[in-house]
């Protein structure tokens, strides 16, 4: 096992992945959340997705949200797209950093988009072409990278097969999604090692859910094996669609709180981030799962 | 950083540390919890504490609980004692494995027992003598080992000073308590390395709280630095007295779930443990914080 990196790059996914998995919130609140986040020091934000409004009503106002949001000049904003049509919408809206999802598990992919993983992979080259022609980049997010809610085990070799095809077809970046929070450190080590042995030239990111409490341990192991990019969601926005009441996305505050205390720089101001987490909690109107939001940072003391 | 051990030894603290920090529950329920735990494979259980009933009404029935509990022949049971009087009660009740707490932080120690850390350390030799004369062993638990809720930072050097004195005065074992869940992996690595450099001959254990989500990451780091013994509480029984609504003790299910999937043997059957966690949740009458209790193990799938 290796050492810890001096710094990591966090991508905040609360505005998109988080809010997409909460009950719909007003457009104004989405814009406000996007406007608040850069003040925390976060420099990558997944802003919206361009999906069919019947499929994901939470993102029906994506164009309006993005048009009204202040774009911070130092922030990399990204948008999720399901297909070529979504990519066209994202580019028309001004995005240059796009993401597209494919599940390593066939059953999960069919449930999501009604086709096999292989059929979804066949789309990537066309989307890449369109995005590159527009001067943008495409990240392929491999969901169910550590296990599938329907099939159970997803072998690392299958995940790496999906990666191989995506990279061959022009993907600029890869992300591994722990869609239902089933990753544990041994699986993380195996996937990161396997990836770096074959695709060290392509940037990669890990997206962990804290559904079973392992997200921070997984990030720790991933760093020790060479990973430096992670998704996280302010307040832990998002929940878990497969286990009602359980946590989904790891909370950005928990990641920042742990890493900064370890001497791994995130560039994020924890107090400012907690302010935004409290705003996010007000917006969704229920308690968010972030432990640091509940308990406060480790530096908080009580009067003797 | 090292590798992961083949196996670890978990001590279940739900019946004592857990229930001591919940609203009082009936004696019958305490006995039943103690009777259920050995069936999970757990082989170390902190059963009760012998403290003054006015200070800790939750443990006022310690003698009765222990007298009525079935003693599994393969389980090491332990009891917490605050002082010589408590040690005498514990030994009279039949315990041979005793624990005594001292805070590394003076202010926390004064809040707990109205005296300085140095004054508490002066008691250890006398208690050790009494326990050894009775054929037992004494573990010294160093609480606030990673930070104090009143003073904030607690230097590793101060924690190791407390250890040095406890070992010199005859302590058989040392435990490090992350009393308010402020440990992070860098601090864990520093303390474990510092301990092993000076006291490698004395067994030691780590007691983490998951108040800020870091408990599993801390256990991971501790293992990588040579630790193999950990406390955990079924269901996450216990809460955090300093941050109402926040988590306290790391849940035994979360530890077992992660470690077993990493190939680190715990000897515990997760399904059996979850049954006991559900019982514990019924007993306290509120939702327990264990993420694996909420979401189920990673192996649970949903119909496609």
């Amino acid at each position: 096992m290796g050492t810890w990196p001096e710094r990591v790059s966090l991508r905040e996914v609360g505005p998109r992945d988080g809010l997409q998995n909460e009950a719909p919130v007003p457009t104004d609140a989405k814009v406000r959340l996007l406007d608040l986040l850069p003040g925390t020091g976060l420099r990558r934000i997944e802003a919206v997705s361009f999906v069919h409004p019947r499929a994901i009503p939470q993102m029906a106002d994506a164009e309006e949200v993005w048009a009204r949001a202040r774009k911070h000049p130092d922030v990399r904003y990204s948008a999720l797209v399901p297909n070529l049509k979504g990519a066209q919408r994202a580019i028309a809206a001004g995005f240059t950093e796009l993401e597209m999802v494919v599940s390593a598990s066939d059953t999960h992919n069919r449930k999501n988009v009604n086709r096999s993983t292989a059929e979804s992979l066949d789309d990537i080259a066309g989307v890449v072409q369109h995005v590159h022609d527009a001067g943008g980049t495409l990240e392929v997010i491999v969901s169910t990278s550590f296990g599938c809610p329907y099939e159970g085990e997803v072998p690392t070799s299958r995940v790496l097969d999906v990666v191989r095809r995506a990279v061959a077809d022009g993907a600029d970046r890869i992300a591994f999604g722990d869609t239902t929070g089933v990753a544990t450190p041994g699986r993380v080590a195996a996937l990161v090692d396997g990836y770096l042995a074959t695709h060290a030239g392509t940037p990669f990111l890990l997206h962990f859910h804290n559904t079973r409490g392992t997200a921070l341990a997984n990030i720790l192991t991933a760093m020790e094996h060479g990973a430096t990019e992670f998704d996280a969601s302010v307040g832990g926005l998002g929940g878990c669609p497969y286990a009602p009441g359980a946590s989904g996305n790891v909370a950005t505050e928990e990641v920042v709180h742990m890493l900064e205390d370890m001497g791994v720089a995130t560039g994020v101001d924890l107090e400012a981030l907690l302010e935004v987490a409290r705003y996010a909690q007000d917006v969704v109107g229920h308690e968010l799962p972030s432990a640091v939001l509940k308990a406060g940072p480790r530096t908080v003391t009580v009067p003797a």
Side-chain angles (χ1 to χ4, degrees), chain A:
Chain A
M1 302 178 198
T3 51
W4 299 330
E6 280 182 30
R7 60 183 55 252
V8 296
S9 170
L10 300 183
R11 179 168 64 184
E12 170 58 48
V13 301
R16 197 290 298 176
D17 189 20
L19 290 182
Q20 183 163 323
N21 291 291
E22 301 278 352
V25 304
T27 303
D28 283 353
K30 296 179 196 174
V31 173
R32 177 98 180 119
L33 183 60
L34 282 172
D35 288 351
L36 288 171
L37 285 165
T40 67
L42 283 161
R43 287 297 172 260
R44 296 169 73 182
I45 299 175
E46 190 189 48
V48 292
S49 63
F50 292 96
V51 288
H52 198 288
R54 268 206 305 277
I56 314 275
Q58 290 93 332
M59 290 288 136
D61 54 359
E63 272 91 354
E64 184 186 351
V65 168
W66 183 239
R68 288 176 49 197
R70 276 197 296 270
K71 285 80 177 173
H72 191 292
D74 300 331
V75 172
R76 289 167 57 186
Y77 294 96
S78 61
L80 184 82
V81 303
N83 49 30
L84 184 59
K85 179 141 187 231
Q88 291 165 335
R89 281 175 64 197
I91 284 166
F95 282 94
T96 57
E97 194 164 324
L98 275 63
E99 312 152 9
M100 196 172 153
V101 180
V102 57
S103 298
S105 143
D106 230 46
T107 312
H108 189 263
N109 205 70
R110 286 181 191 282
K111 283 277 177 183
N112 260 7
V113 290
N114 204 28
R115 52 217 302 232
S116 69
T117 299
E119 289 170 305
S120 282
L121 284 170
D122 287 342
D123 284 354
I124 290 177
V127 177
V128 164
Q129 182 72 55
H130 184 79
V131 174
H132 284 181
D133 286 351
T137 61
L138 186 72
E139 169 179 311
V140 171
I141 301 173
V142 186
S143 64
T144 64
S145 281
F146 300 93
C148 168
Y150 307 109
E151 295 181 14
E153 296 292 327
V154 174
T156 299
S157 59
R158 172 146 180 86
V159 179
L160 293 176
D161 284 346
V162 170
V163 166
R164 194 170 303 119
R165 175 67 188 280
V167 171
D169 283 2
D172 299 287
R173 315 172 32 77
I174 296 293
F176 295 104
D178 180 19
T179 310
T180 51
V182 294
T184 61
R187 295 172 190 271
V188 173
L191 185 52
V192 173
D193 288 352
Y195 182 82
L196 287 175
T198 47
H199 296 93
T202 306
F204 74 108
L205 172 150
L206 291 150
H207 175 107
F208 289 117
H209 281 208
N210 203 27
T211 315
R212 289 163 184 88
T214 58
L216 295 183
N218 291 335
I219 288 174
L220 188 68
T221 295
M223 289 194 312
E224 292 174 356
H225 287 256
T228 57
E229 301 185 30
F230 301 98
D231 275 355
S233 177
V234 62
L237 275 174
C240 175
Y242 300 94
S247 297
N249 291 306
V250 65
T252 315
E253 309 86 79
E254 291 190 32
V255 178
V256 169
H257 179 266
M258 182 178 88
L259 295 187
E260 291 284 335
D261 195 55
M262 293 165 55
V264 178
T266 64
V268 180
D269 180 293
L270 183 59
E271 287 299 335
L273 182 63
L274 284 166
E275 277 295 319
V276 182
R278 281 186 278 270
Y279 174 73
Q281 186 164 257
D282 286 346
V283 165
V284 297
H286 64 82
E287 189 175 68
L288 288 178
S290 163
V292 176
L293 183 58
K294 282 197 232 298
R298 65 180 303 288
T299 47
V300 168
T301 53
V302 295

